[in-house]
Amino acid sequence: MASMRYLAIGNSICPATVEVSDKSGCVLDGFSFRSSNFTGKRNVRDLRVMSVATHRLPEIDVAPPSSREKQSDHGNWNHVAWTSVRQERWEGELAVEGEIPLWLSGTYLRNGPGLWHIGDYNFRHLFDGYATLVKLYFENGRLIAGHRQIESEAYKAAKKNKKLCFREFSEVPKPDNFLSYVGELANLFSGASLTDNANTGVVKLGDGRVVCLTETQKGSIVIDPDTLDTLGKFEYSDTLGGLIHSAHPIVTDTEFLTLLPDLVIPGYLVVRMEPGTNERKVIGRVDCRGGPAAGWVHSFPVTEHYVIVPEMPLRYCARNLLKAEPTPLYKFQWHPDSKAFMHVVCKASGKIVTSVEVPLYVTFHFINAYEEEDEDGRVTAIIADCCEHNADAAILEKLRLQNLRSFNGEDVLPDARVGRFIIPFDGSSHGKLETALDPNEHGRGMDMCSINPKYLGKKYRYAYACGAHRPCNFPNILTKLDLFGKKAKNWYEEGAVPSEPFFVPRPGATEEDDGVVISMISQKNGEGYALLLDGSSFKEIARAKFPYGLPYGLHGCWVPKK
Ligand SMILES: CC(=O)/C=C/C=C(C)/C=C/C1=C(C)CCCC1(C)C
Ligand SMILES: CC(/C=C/C=O)=C\C=C\C=O
Ligand SMILES: [Fe+2]
């Protein structure tokens, strides 16, 4: 039966988007929307007519509420952060408590794995979930929010067949499922079986296209930042091949830089793509110095003139890639004997400028890097900061959904820190890895970071990240790190699971921390809200409650209003 809703916008009544579904039943019923205090000029296009999808997730049912909503004394049993989003899409205006700065004009997009089941089959790992894209559109102090599932092949196939059809981070389809979907031509043990579930990040290219990404190259999907429509695959037009890439390319208005790990001859291609093209060109290549395979490169840092290629002892493992059952470290293996390295590639020449052995480390996310110079302007070293998990890959296991969903008050989140690499340019064979500030400043939790994008590759003072208020099983505070003062300012709310704090600079700002920090909070009572903190004081300036609890999400980007 078709269902339709009407929402008031100012004095006029506009039909909301009509969703036709053969299942009736309104999951998101009874929300109230602020419409009476709308003072801006009414412009339906600009305000992206508020629409509400009123049907259940078609064909992918959510888990029964009884199990989903059960909570322990600690309020964390099946916390909404780890509970699948309940419908495919939603959009509406949120009532704002506090003040959104009027200069904040544009869309914050956040990607992440928001749907962790197919029917009553529950996925294993946080990174397995089908991509849920969330948007916060700010204009004139008002906020229109929404979410939508990304229509990847993997998601569509799961919906159609009610079964997993592609290999996800830890999940592997049964051979029959895959073959019935892709056909006899493809082999479960080939690249064709890999997911295109673009559930990790979202970037705005210099030419304005917005692309959702994961670690598989085929999982690069172009979306419309206004409607969140899936527009199609981002097809790389070059012939570089390979199956995987870094989940975090470095994207500016003028270039897109990424690393393509070589799983056959261990190494990495450093590549650049210009705005307006789909063709990556090779800048240079780094051969691994240790181990049987390339190290995992979820992210990497750059400075103004160099690309830093990390070689972690947590390495891809071709055997694990093809295994039907998950291994303790999934597609990776820990090779402490292979040592750890940092390579520095000149962006202009593609040459390796230096390559140093460093202490063992484990990181998902580099924060930033910059060049240290002497009085004559000669580069003496590179400083590269990351969220470092004390060289312990156990964090991967902690991100299993079963672990995230079963917090019982025990402090089980492993310690992490801001790891600072010092890579000398004097020909030394070894670099250093130090702790940038006392980890107790941020509760010894550290991940999901952002900086002022104007400081990318440059000497910087501030970073924003998730830290810990212990006991906890997952980073549960937002932290502003002052890397000069070696201090942190923290934001905490009991039972909250905040997503990556994302810094948006104020146009015209001259101070590094002049701007706002956006995060989305999943609450222990099953609700959720968008949060805005002042980038300098790190105090709350506004919050806006969603009509439904938000699942956890990973990385975001900012699309300024044209
Ligand atoms: C969400 C996140 O941080 C990481 C996601 C990583 C994914 C989806 C990795 C997927 C992979 C495969 C499906 C097979 C090939 C290896 C690997 C890149 C790990
Ligand atoms: C959420 C996370 C780590 C948290 C640990 O403290 C890592 C996410 C990685 C992918 O983007
Ligand atoms: Fe990431």
Side-chain angles (χ1 to χ4, degrees), residues 113 126-128 167-170 194-195 197 199-200 214-216 244-245 247-248 263 296 298 316 321 331-332 364-365 554-555:
L126 174 64
F127 298 164
D128 287 326
R167 277 174 190 269
E168 297 297 336
F169 176 80
S170 85
L194 294 183
T195 188
N197 172 22
N199 70 359
T200 307
T214 185
E215 306 221 348
T216 57
I244 57 182
H245 57 186
H248 291 277
L263 299 182
W296 186 13
H298 182 73
Y316 298 98
L321 276 173
K331 314 289 195 271
F332 310 100
F364 297 109
H365 298 122
L554 295 171
H555 304 290

Side-chain angles (χ1 to χ4, degrees), residues 359-497:
L360 302 186
Y361 64 98
V362 166
T363 186
F364 297 109
H365 298 122
F366 280 88
I367 302 171
N368 198 14
Y370 58 90
E371 296 156 21
E372 201 97 276
E373 291 178 353
D374 63 16
E375 313 80 64
D376 302 322
R378 274 188 297 257
V379 178
T380 54
I382 287 195
I383 308 297
D385 294 338
C386 69
C387 305
E388 207 276 311
H389 292 272
N390 289 328
D392 187 353
I395 183 65
L396 265 185
E397 190 61 12
K398 301 288 177 196
L399 301 180
R400 271 185 80 152
L401 291 162
Q402 185 188 301
N403 295 332
L404 295 171
R405 287 173 179 158
S406 57
F407 180 57
N408 62 5
E410 245 183 278
D411 191 28
V412 291
L413 179 72
D415 288 1
R417 59 172 175 161
V418 178
R420 169 159 285 190
F421 291 99
I422 300 150
I423 307 168
F425 264 34
D426 61 0
S428 314
S429 58
H430 284 68
K432 289 188 191 144
L433 173 55
E434 297 177 347
T435 304
L437 82 167
D438 180 352
N440 288 307
E441 284 288 320
H442 47 80
R444 293 171 284 107
M446 179 48 49
D447 219 303
M448 307 304 283
C449 48
S450 79
I451 57 160
N452 181 332
K454 297 209 168 74
Y455 288 73
L456 175 73
K458 301 188 178 129
K459 187 154 185 150
Y460 72 117
R461 174 168 185 174
Y462 300 111
Y464 302 89
C466 294
H469 179 101
R470 292 173 183 275
C472 60
N473 68 341
F474 191 79
N476 58 349
I477 63 168
L478 297 170
T479 184
K480 175 187 179 185
L481 308 170
D482 176 348
L483 298 165
F484 289 3
K486 312 276 180 203
K487 285 271 167 216
K489 286 180 181 164
N490 295 322
W491 176 95
Y492 166 72
E493 197 173 86
E494 208 231 315
V497 180

Side-chain angles (χ1 to χ4, degrees), residues 117-423:
H117 68 275
I118 303 170
D120 53 15
Y121 180 76
N122 288 305
F123 291 168
R124 183 180 291 111
H125 198 277
L126 174 64
F127 298 164
D128 287 326
Y130 291 119
T132 303
L133 192 59
V134 185
K135 77 165 179 186
L136 301 175
Y137 171 69
F138 298 93
E139 191 190 1
N140 291 326
R142 298 180 56 194
L143 172 52
I144 293 168
H147 83 262
R148 191 154 175 180
Q149 289 304 109
I150 295 176
E151 298 270 327
S152 60
E153 287 304 313
Y155 174 66
K156 288 191 291 188
K159 268 205 317 185
K160 184 161 170 243
N161 298 344
K162 299 189 172 58
K163 282 179 190 137
L164 185 82
C165 297
F166 289 87
R167 277 174 190 269
E168 297 297 336
F169 176 80
S170 85
E171 296 284 346
V172 178
K174 297 211 162 51
D176 288 355
N177 302 352
F178 175 68
L179 294 178
S180 66
Y181 185 72
V182 173
E184 297 298 327
L185 285 179
N187 178 327
L188 182 58
F189 301 109
S190 74
S193 69
L194 294 183
T195 188
D196 67 340
N197 172 22
N199 70 359
T200 307
V202 50
V203 294
K204 184 184 85 70
L205 305 184
D207 55 31
R209 288 177 292 176
V210 178
V211 186
C212 293
L213 295 158
T214 185
E215 306 221 348
T216 57
Q217 293 187 33
K218 70 199 277 205
S220 306
I221 295 183
V222 187
I223 59 101
D224 179 323
D226 298 332
T227 60
L228 306 187
D229 278 345
T230 297
L231 300 179
K233 277 274 165 69
F234 186 97
E235 305 281 359
Y236 299 97
S237 61
D238 50 68
T239 52
L240 294 177
L243 299 172
I244 57 182
H245 57 186
S246 167
H248 291 277
I250 302 282
V251 184
T252 63
D253 286 346
T254 54
E255 63 184 3
F256 171 107
L257 297 167
T258 198
L259 299 182
L260 310 183
D262 183 337
L263 299 182
V264 182
I265 305 163
Y268 314 83
L269 282 185
V270 183
V271 301
R272 174 193 283 118
M273 188 170 70
E274 291 197 352
T277 77
N278 286 34
E279 185 186 0
R280 299 161 302 183
K281 292 192 176 140
V282 177
I283 296 179
R285 182 186 158 98
V286 170
D287 287 322
C288 286
R289 287 184 49 190
W296 186 13
V297 277
H298 182 73
S299 73
F300 63 97
V302 297
T303 67
E304 288 185 271
H305 302 100
Y306 304 100
V307 175
I308 322 301
V309 180
E311 186 180 337
M312 271 210 286
L314 183 61
R315 296 174 183 273
Y316 298 98
C317 173
R319 208 158 15 96
N320 292 356
L321 276 173
L322 302 179
K323 281 231 169 95
E325 287 306 317
T327 67
L329 292 175
Y330 306 98
K331 314 289 195 271
F332 310 100
Q333 257 184 350
W334 181 240
H335 289 280
D337 298 342
S338 75
K339 301 187 178 158
F341 303 91
M342 294 291 271
H343 312 276
V344 180
V345 174
C346 173
K347 280 189 201 171
S349 69
K351 297 230 160 64
I352 299 172
V353 178
T354 189
S355 171
V356 292
E357 185 183 333
V358 291
L360 302 186
Y361 64 98
V362 166
T363 186
F364 297 109
H365 298 122
F366 280 88
I367 302 171
N368 198 14
Y370 58 90
E371 296 156 21
E372 201 97 276
E373 291 178 353
D374 63 16
E375 313 80 64
D376 302 322
R378 274 188 297 257
V379 178
T380 54
I382 287 195
I383 308 297
D385 294 338
C386 69
C387 305
E388 207 276 311
H389 292 272
N390 289 328
D392 187 353
I395 183 65
L396 265 185
E397 190 61 12
K398 301 288 177 196
L399 301 180
R400 271 185 80 152
L401 291 162
Q402 185 188 301
N403 295 332
L404 295 171
R405 287 173 179 158
S406 57
F407 180 57
N408 62 5
E410 245 183 278
D411 191 28
V412 291
L413 179 72
D415 288 1
R417 59 172 175 161
V418 178
R420 169 159 285 190
F421 291 99
I422 300 150
I423 307 168

